[in-house]
Amino acid sequence: SMRLVLYGKMISHKGYKCKLTEKYLIIEPDGKEIYVKSLIKYCSEKGLRTHSLRQVANGKRADYLGWKCTRL
């Protein structure tokens, strides 16, 4: 189902892909670089707001609480 795609458990469903499962480079406030496939899953694990980090990836914000994010 699309829910599995959304949470990074599947790549696609019936040919549809979710933009949220694109690869991201996240730079933590301490400078550590992390590559992730599911922004929602990563934010959930770290207690971050997905919407805010996505705004950083889209260039609408410079950072979110010191976190930086780039879509690859």
Side-chain angles (χ1 to χ4, degrees), residues 7-31:
Y7 288 103
K9 304 282 184 189
M10 293 175 55
I11 295 173
S12 66
H13 175 70
K14 295 184 180 179
Y16 294 98
K17 292 184 179 181
C18 181
K19 284 187 173 186
L20 303 178
T21 59
E22 294 177 348
K23 292 182 182 178
Y24 291 88
L25 167 63
I26 297 176
I27 303 173
E28 295 181 349
D30 63 1

